[in-house]
């Protein structure tokens, strides 16, 4: 009786699989909220997922990622693909939220891409090639981000979207983890930000499969390219290269001149071919599974820690530290023992 | 016999208390490395710490924080204070490291501040008013950051530095936590970054005790001020204001015009007075203790999770997820039970 106003998650999932965009959006909302509903979505999607090419795109704020992603989406749709974009808001109180603003502009251009305008509950055929773009805001929930992103990706994958593009502003470890867990990690650099790129080459090189020098029409673009080439030459990646037969390409792109988008897509496709021919795609998937389970465990443990600290035992110990009677080190040791000697919350027969 | 080449931590601590800067530096290195040595430093410092005013300063990259902090330090030294600055590198592979570059310039100007040039092992009297500035790089160790920062702050506090200034580029949750755990949180905004500030007002308002509009000589500075005032008017902080009698002031500052530094210091001192007269300084300390212990517990648990996933049990479960036989949700539940049924590693008699 109530299914009319509040459909069950299996119903939503079935509708989403049939092409209902409103159902997709509702499932994504459940995923963002986390908890038992998100787990149900995860179980359903797990059975159908596993084939999409997962592409992570990151870069400093202002690197022009959103414009680039918009172009990639246009080209993918024109080529008969059905991409999904998950734009991850890095939950920063100072620079976060910018993605959301960009996204609104991009959602506008999205309509130009997919000619047939459809209603949310519209005809499945007409939406077959319509891309799905979703911003995920996770302010104050870095743990929530680490859980919601892989689940949203799995959902898109299970619903037949391919590639699934994760766009993030790579300024935190969580975001780098997210992009590093993609099949293909694209790192976007721009002229004028060379110092930062240089200073952080080690972190960059470890996650990048494809570099893009964006805004290549600007002065200094060839310098950025040369710096990146040098970084690749000098890094430990070079040693691996000879062994694995892959060196991250550097693609020049300019939204102003309308160049680079197809080159980026070619480089991304080449990297997928390399992953498959070398058997390395399995490694990426394994890494992804491991990362997700670690995040889930961390969240579950965090909840137990919070409960313990709120308990009378925890409060008493915190007070002893405040009073200077105990040190944080010794109290941590006691709390840890307390935590690990607890019986499992869901005893198994 | 070996103490000559490798002094013990209690020796280093005693020397540091006597004003030996080299010893301070060595202790900070132990703190950064973590582990048992860091715990020893923590225990020693815990006994002597508790009086310094802890000031967190954050803002987007390019907000001119380093220059501002340099000016604050100059004024504090001139007023007979002995400040310490802990510059936290946000460990970003894309923008991190910028602080270190800034810091090199600032370390240069530091000599101009404190006239008497002293050797590392130099005379304690001459260094009494010399500020101590330390960059802490924590790439790839967000957990390490959460542990090392409070410990370094406690060490500075125990060694008699006051105020202890934590400078960070506030682009991640960890960094916001760090600044939010200070007695006084200073948020630096600049003209031309108004959109970002606007978009994230909720996150900002929650942590800020003092706002600084930096580069106030630039066009748009009054707009930023007006935006911040509006944000304060509209936010839930306003409701609290009437109750607690404190509204975060907005200070205009310009390094170019040499204005604002003393105003910032006045605002920071006023906030400390408010904390003390209202009894809220205890709350800040309590929050800090709790945050640190949570971070320590999280790190200890993370280690156990890694060990479990590397074990044969963990590996077998991960393989089942990869094969599609188990879902991440169900495997997480099993691993959690496995983890929590383990006996404490250090059984207590």
């Amino acid at each position: 009786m109530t299914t009319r106003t509040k459909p069950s998650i299996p119903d939503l999932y079935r509708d989403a699989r049939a092409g209902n965009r409103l159902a997709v959006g509702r499932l994504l909302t459940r995923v963002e909220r986390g908890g038992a509903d998100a787990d149900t979505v995860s179980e359903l999607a797990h059975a159908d997922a596993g084939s999409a090419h997962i592409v992570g795109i990151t870069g400093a704020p202002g690197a022009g990622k959103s414009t680039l992603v918009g172009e990639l989406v246009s080209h993918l749709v024109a080529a008969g693909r059905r991409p999904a974009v998950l734009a991850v808001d890095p939950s920063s109180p100072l620079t976060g939220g910018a993605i959301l603003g960009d996204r609104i502009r991009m959602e506008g251009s999205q309509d130009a891409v997919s000619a047939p305008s459809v209603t949310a509950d519209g005809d499945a055929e007409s939406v077959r090639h319509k891309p799905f773009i979703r911003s995920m805001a996770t302010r104050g929930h870095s743990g929530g981000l680490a859980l919601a992103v892989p689940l949203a990706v799995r959902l898109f994958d299970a619903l037949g979207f391919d590639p699934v593009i994760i766009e993030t502003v790579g300024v935190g470890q969580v975001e780098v983890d997210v992009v590093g867990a993609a099949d293909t990690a694209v790192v976007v650099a721009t002229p004028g930000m060379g110092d930062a790129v240089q200073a952080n080459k080690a972190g960059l090189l470890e996650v990048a499969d494809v570099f893009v020098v964006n805004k290549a029409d600007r002065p200094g673009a060839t310098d950025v390219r040369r710096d990146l080439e040098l970084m690749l030459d000098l890094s430990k990646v070079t040693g691996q290269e000879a062994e694995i037969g892959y060196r991250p390409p550097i693609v020049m792109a300019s939204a102003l001149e309308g160049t680079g988008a197809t080159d980026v897509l070619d480089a991304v496709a080449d990297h997928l071919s390399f992953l498959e021919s070398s058997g390395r795609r399995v490694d990426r998937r394994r890494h992804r599974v491991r990362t997700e389970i670690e995040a889930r465990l961390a969240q579950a443990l965090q909840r137990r820690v919070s409960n313990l600290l709120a308990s009378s035992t925890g409060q008493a110990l915190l007070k002893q530290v405040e009073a200077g009677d105990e040190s944080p080190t010794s109290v941590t040791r006691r709390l840890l023992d307390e935590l690990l000697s607890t019986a499992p919350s869901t005893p198994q027969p």
Side-chain angles (χ1 to χ4, degrees), chain A residues 20-328:
Chain A
N20 181 329
R21 295 172 66 81
L22 184 59
V24 179
R26 286 183 171 170
L27 288 173
L28 286 165
T29 302
R30 302 298 197 286
V31 164
E32 277 181 327
R33 282 186 200 148
D37 279 1
D39 286 350
T40 308
V41 176
S42 179
E43 298 283 344
L44 289 166
H46 186 66
D48 298 318
S51 57
H53 183 195
I54 300 168
V55 179
I57 299 188
T58 192
K65 289 177 300 300
S66 297
T67 308
L68 178 66
V69 169
E71 286 177 17
L72 298 182
V73 166
S74 300
H75 281 87
L76 286 164
V77 169
R81 305 283 295 275
R82 190 162 73 118
V85 177
L86 185 68
V88 179
D89 190 301
S91 74
S92 155
L94 290 168
T95 62
I99 280 186
L100 291 171
D102 290 348
R103 195 63 38 197
I104 290 159
R105 292 194 292 277
M106 194 164 135
E107 287 277 4
S109 67
Q110 183 192 351
D111 285 334
V113 169
S114 47
S117 170
V118 286
T119 61
D121 290 280
D123 156 31
E125 276 311 306
S126 70
V127 301
R128 198 158 295 285
H129 295 300
K130 197 167 161 70
F132 204 101
I133 297 173
R134 174 81 170 207
S135 286
M136 189 167 270
T138 53
R139 182 192 305 287
H141 297 280
S142 58
L145 180 73
L147 291 185
V149 169
L151 216 166
V153 168
R154 182 176 306 128
L155 177 62
F156 279 132
D157 182 350
L159 298 178
F161 291 97
D162 185 18
V164 178
I165 299 172
I166 314 166
E167 178 194 338
T168 182
V169 176
V171 286
Q173 190 58 42
V174 175
E175 289 74 33
V176 173
D177 289 347
V178 164
V179 171
D183 290 317
T184 302
V186 179
V187 172
V188 182
T190 45
M193 304 178 85
D195 289 354
V197 170
Q198 281 284 38
N200 295 280
K201 56 186 179 181
L204 265 175
L205 288 174
E206 277 161 30
V207 299
D209 299 307
V210 173
F211 287 103
V212 177
V213 178
N214 209 10
K215 307 185 182 179
D217 50 279
R218 295 200 182 170
T222 53
D223 293 342
V224 176
R225 184 192 188 115
R226 201 183 46 229
D227 289 350
L228 289 170
E229 293 283 10
L230 189 67
M231 282 161 53
L232 287 171
D233 288 342
L234 295 175
S235 81
K236 61 183 175 184
V237 173
T238 320
Q240 291 169 11
E241 242 168 63
E243 191 193 329
I244 68 173
Y246 185 84
R247 177 181 168 112
I250 301 171
V251 180
M252 309 299 279
S254 163
L256 199 67
E257 298 176 350
T259 57
T262 53
D263 299 328
V264 172
L265 290 176
D266 287 348
V268 166
D270 287 350
H271 180 255
L272 180 63
S273 300
F274 160 73
L275 284 182
E276 280 173 344
S277 63
S278 65
R280 280 169 183 268
R281 200 174 179 189
V282 179
D283 299 340
R284 299 282 171 130
R285 201 169 285 145
R286 186 164 296 163
H287 175 67
R288 211 146 52 219
V289 163
R290 195 192 153 107
T291 304
E292 180 182 356
I293 289 176
E294 279 177 334
R296 286 180 168 273
L297 278 171
Q299 201 206 35
L301 289 168
Q302 182 53 48
R303 204 172 297 134
R304 278 152 203 263
V305 165
S306 294
N307 290 343
L308 178 58
L309 288 177
S311 73
S312 53
T313 311
Q315 289 293 308
L317 286 170
L318 288 180
K319 283 216 175 70
Q320 285 182 277
V321 178
E322 283 162 34
D325 299 335
E326 290 273 357
S327 75

